[in-house]
């Protein structure tokens, strides 16, 4: 495992890499409030075939936070990933994403079909959409959120305490969450605090309408494999997700017993799935 630093216009990104640099490149993108260490168990199992590059998305892990005047949204995450691929001199690459990273990876593949060889998605197909039921409330909540109004960061006496808190909130066993937690902390007076941007927890003012997401998915050309946990997450309701799946011309869907972080719970099984997907 190697630390990675990537300069893109206006932003410094970080990440982790596994495997030989001259192997076929595989970009992997983590979920919301996770970081590149989300793939610490899976990536070594793929490194015999790929040069695995796990980016810390902007505002996550060791990557730079966006300026206070900007917001975090899928379109700009996708732009950052493509800029990172340019900086890494990757004209073509395989792409794997989990959750938020799956949504971003989908948009990258749609934006640059000539660059993405194959697409593997864990627990996500496209960004969170908007059915209109909470558009007004969400917009007002986001606009009322003051720029400097976030609460002071919580300080944990130890890494173990932070891992326990992460497990409690995310439903992920503390031992499995440990790599993400260690990379996601910074030392402060009295212990440790999260290094991710607190603004990531603010409401999003505007989401793409579900019809817009569907229109984008109709343009997804890369051979795509989607891995879903069983039982399903509340925000991946099967009927609504099937509508999205039906928009993709070349997609294979697989279900696996487990939680939202399948690649942490069952890295060997997910590696086997990825070997066929990619």
């Amino acid at each position: 495992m190697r630390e990675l630093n990537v300069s893109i216009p206006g932003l410094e990104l970080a990440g982790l890499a596994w495997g030989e640099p001259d192997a076929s490149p595989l970009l992997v993108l983590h979920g919301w409030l996770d970081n590149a260490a989300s793939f610490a168990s899976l990536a070594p199992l793929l490194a015999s075939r790929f040069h695995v590059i796990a980016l810390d998305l902007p505002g996550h892990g060791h990557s730079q936070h966006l300026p206070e005047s900007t917001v975090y949204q899928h379109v700009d995450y996708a732009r950052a990933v493509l800029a990172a691929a340019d900086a890494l001199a990757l004209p073509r690459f395989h792409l794997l994403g989990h959750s938020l990273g799956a949504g971003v990876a989908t948009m990258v593949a749609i934006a640059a079909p000539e660059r993405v060889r194959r697409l593997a998605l864990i627990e996500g197909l496209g960004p969170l959409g908007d059915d209109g039921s909470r558009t007004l409330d969400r917009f007002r909540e986001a606009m009322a959120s003051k720029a400097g109004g976030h609460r002071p960061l919580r300080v944990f006496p130890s890494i173990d305490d932070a891992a326990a808190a992460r497990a409690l909130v995310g439903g992920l066993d503390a031992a499995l969450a440990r790599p993400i937690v260690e990379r996601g902390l910074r030392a402060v007076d009295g212990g440790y605090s999260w290094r991710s941007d607190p603004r990531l927890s603010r409401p999003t003012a505007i989401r793409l309408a579900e019809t817009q997401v569907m229109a984008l998915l109709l343009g997804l050309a890369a051979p795509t494999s989607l891995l879903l946990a069983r039982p399903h997450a509340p925000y991946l309701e099967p009927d609504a997700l099937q509508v999205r799946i039906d928009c993709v011309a070349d997609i294979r869907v697989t279900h696996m017993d487990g939680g939202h972080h399948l690649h942490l719970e069952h890295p060997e099984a997910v590696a086997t799935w990825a070997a066929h997907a990619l």
Side-chain angles (χ1 to χ4, degrees):
M1 185 174 69
R2 305 181 303 279
E3 286 285 343
L4 190 70
N5 293 287
V6 185
S7 295
I8 65 173
L11 207 62
E12 295 294 322
L13 300 181
L16 298 169
W18 295 260
E20 296 299 324
D22 60 352
S24 182
L26 169 62
L27 286 181
V28 296
L29 307 176
H30 62 78
W32 179 62
L33 293 181
D34 288 346
N35 52 57
S38 175
F39 299 100
S41 297
L42 178 63
L45 302 177
L46 303 176
S48 61
R49 178 181 167 194
F50 295 104
H51 181 209
V52 184
I53 301 167
L55 295 173
D56 288 331
L57 292 172
H60 295 76
H62 290 228
S63 285
Q64 191 176 357
H65 298 180
L66 293 182
E68 191 67 41
S69 59
T70 60
V71 297
Y72 292 93
Q73 52 188 4
H74 279 75
V75 171
D76 293 310
Y77 283 133
R79 185 178 287 113
V81 171
L82 285 168
D86 289 342
L88 293 165
L90 305 178
R92 298 197 71 200
F93 48 89
H94 294 81
L95 191 55
L96 183 153
H98 166 247
S99 195
L100 165 65
V104 175
T106 305
M107 297 190 77
V108 169
I110 293 167
E114 73 286 355
R115 300 188 68 174
V116 177
R117 295 179 181 274
R118 300 184 76 88
L119 179 64
L121 305 172
I122 303 171
E123 287 281 274
L125 174 62
L128 289 175
D130 190 346
D131 64 3
S133 62
R134 290 204 66 252
T135 301
L136 178 59
D137 290 342
R138 189 183 297 113
F139 177 74
R140 285 175 172 167
E141 289 168 10
M143 296 303 289
S145 182
K146 297 294 188 293
H150 48 73
R151 294 172 295 177
L153 292 176
R154 181 178 176 183
V155 176
F156 299 96
S158 70
I159 295 176
D160 286 341
D161 290 314
R166 176 67 171 77
L168 186 64
V169 171
L172 181 63
D173 182 87
L176 296 179
R178 183 86 182 199
I180 298 173
V181 169
E182 289 182 352
R183 186 169 181 83
L185 291 173
R186 59 186 178 90
V188 297
D189 289 342
Y192 301 88
S193 280
W194 301 120
R195 63 168 65 240
S196 56
D197 192 333
R199 292 181 298 146
L200 292 168
S201 296
R202 292 182 186 172
T204 302
I206 297 292
R207 292 180 180 176
L208 288 174
E210 191 62 28
T211 53
Q212 292 177 297
V213 176
M214 291 165 60
L216 289 171
L217 290 172
L218 288 170
L220 179 55
T224 301
S225 294
L226 173 62
L227 179 63
L228 297 171
R230 189 168 42 211
H232 67 83
Y235 43 85
L236 291 173
E237 195 279 322
D239 289 342
L241 184 58
Q242 188 61 49
V243 175
R244 292 191 177 196
I245 291 168
D246 290 341
C247 292
V248 183
D250 186 357
I251 187 168
R252 181 178 63 180
V253 182
T254 303
H255 293 83
M256 184 180 296
D257 292 339
H260 185 55
H261 287 77
L262 289 168
H263 57 302
L264 284 168
E265 293 181 10
H266 309 295
E268 292 84 5
V270 173
T272 299
W273 165 82
H276 291 93
L278 299 169

